[in-house]
Every structure is written in C-alpha cells, then in structure tokens.
Amino acid sequence: TRGQALVMAGAATLAIVANISTYDLPDDFGGFEGEMTYEAADNVWFTIFRVGKGAIRALQQTSSGRTGNPEKFELFPKKMDGVHGQRFAVSFWPTPDAAYTLTYSFQVLGSALTVMNPYPYGGAQHGEAILESCLAVAESRINDDTGNHQEKFLELLAASVSTDIRDFKPEHLGYNGDRSD
C-alpha cells in the first residue's frame, strides 16, 4: 500500500503512518532541495538520509520485518502511464513504527498554463521576464533568429535572478568560530 503526500502552503510535509513504507510525492515534485527531517520529542530534529535503491533492498533483506524511526529513504520514479508526466515516490527503511510528520523542500515542476490555470509560478515580480521569455521563443520560431525579445528577456532574467538572491538568501549561516579553547 502507498500513502499520499500532503503539501502545505510554503512548506512541504509528508505524513507517514505505522507499517507503511512507500509514499507518493506530490505531482509537481521535481527533486529534493536539502534534507528530509522530522521532529522528535523536546524539539530534537532527525535527518533521514537518502540512499540508492540497492541499499534499501539490501537493508530490507537483512532486517526483514524491522520497524522503527525512519533512518533512510530512496527516491524512485513511478511507472508512467503515458497520460501524465513522470511521478515519484519514496520508500523508507526501516518501516515506520508510528506516525511521523516529515518536512522537506523540493523543486516544483510547474503545470502547463491553461484557461483554468493561467498563472505561472514566480509571482508578479517575475511576470515581465516570463512574458519576454515566451515572446523570445515565439520570435525565434517565427523568424528563425533571435531578436529584440531575446535581448530584453536576458536583461529581465538577470534582474529576476538578482531579486531571488536578494529576497531568499539567509541572513545568518551559523557560527564559524574557533572553539579550541
């Protein structure tokens, strides 16, 4: 059996339950950014380490039926149906012995724009860059050459990258002192 991931606004969480080791990730999952963690009692955080499929299979064979706190996981692509894009799942070892809420960050794969879904990811601050990107591609396909929209897009792309760096860089990276005394 498989569990289903729950994605909350601004944060990604995965609610796992006892005795189920494999869970589907969100449809827009495009890869992990950082570590998967969970909080135990007294505000103590644990990291679940990503390993390859062979490592999980070997652990499952040598410790059949073991349950406990999730220590390792594998990420794997699910079978494609040809109708939807690639989807992913995770499998944990050992099989969880209780309910846990895991937290993680991931790269989001944007959905195709439609009449019902007209807004791309990125927000209003990147809207002009997105528009110029589309116009540059259209210009290239129609004229078989780059033009004014390509130039404008590259300017706006640089501005968007600068905006992201400014808005999302950490203010503090941690203590970096000499603790030898």
Side-chain angles (χ1 to χ4, degrees):
T1 59
R2 290 182 191 269
Q4 181 62 43
L6 305 172
V7 178
M8 310 252 184
T13 62
L14 177 62
I16 62 174
V17 297
N19 302 317
I20 297 178
S21 63
T22 302
Y23 292 82
D24 294 338
L25 292 173
D27 288 347
D28 61 353
F29 177 85
F32 284 104
E33 289 285 332
E35 302 170 331
M36 185 179 284
T37 60
Y38 66 93
E39 183 180 12
D42 300 327
N43 203 25
V44 176
W45 287 86
F46 291 94
T47 299
I48 304 172
F49 297 98
R50 182 176 170 185
V51 297
K53 182 172 269 196
I56 291 290
R57 303 270 164 124
L59 288 166
Q60 289 170 336
Q61 287 178 348
T62 59
S63 59
S64 180
R66 180 175 168 200
T67 62
N69 298 346
E71 297 174 21
K72 300 177 189 314
F73 76 95
E74 69 166 307
L75 170 69
F76 61 93
K78 294 172 55 178
K79 184 177 179 182
M80 290 237 348
D81 61 8
V83 176
H84 301 95
Q86 182 69 61
R87 304 293 191 256
F88 295 89
V90 291
S91 187
F92 295 98
W93 180 89
T95 298
D97 62 347
Y100 297 88
T101 300
L102 310 180
T103 61
Y104 63 96
S105 296
F106 66 99
Q107 299 170 8
V108 176
L109 299 176
S111 300
L113 300 181
T114 65
V115 172
M116 297 302 292
N117 182 28
Y119 302 105
Y121 290 107
Q125 69 268 32
H126 301 294
E128 285 299 313
I130 294 167
L131 176 61
E132 284 299 328
S133 168
C134 296
L135 292 171
V137 169
E139 185 176 60
S140 172
R141 289 183 181 173
I142 291 170
N143 299 334
D144 201 25
D145 194 13
T146 59
N148 294 339
H149 289 291
Q150 175 72 15
E151 201 173 301
K152 183 67 175 172
F153 164 64
L154 293 175
E155 288 175 28
L156 292 170
L157 177 62
S160 284
V161 169
S162 294
T163 297
D164 278 350
I165 289 170
R166 182 193 70 227
D167 292 348
F168 295 104
K169 76 177 178 184
E171 293 180 20
H172 180 5
L173 297 175
Y175 180 74
N176 187 20
D178 181 4
R179 297 179 190 218
S180 63
D181 349 350

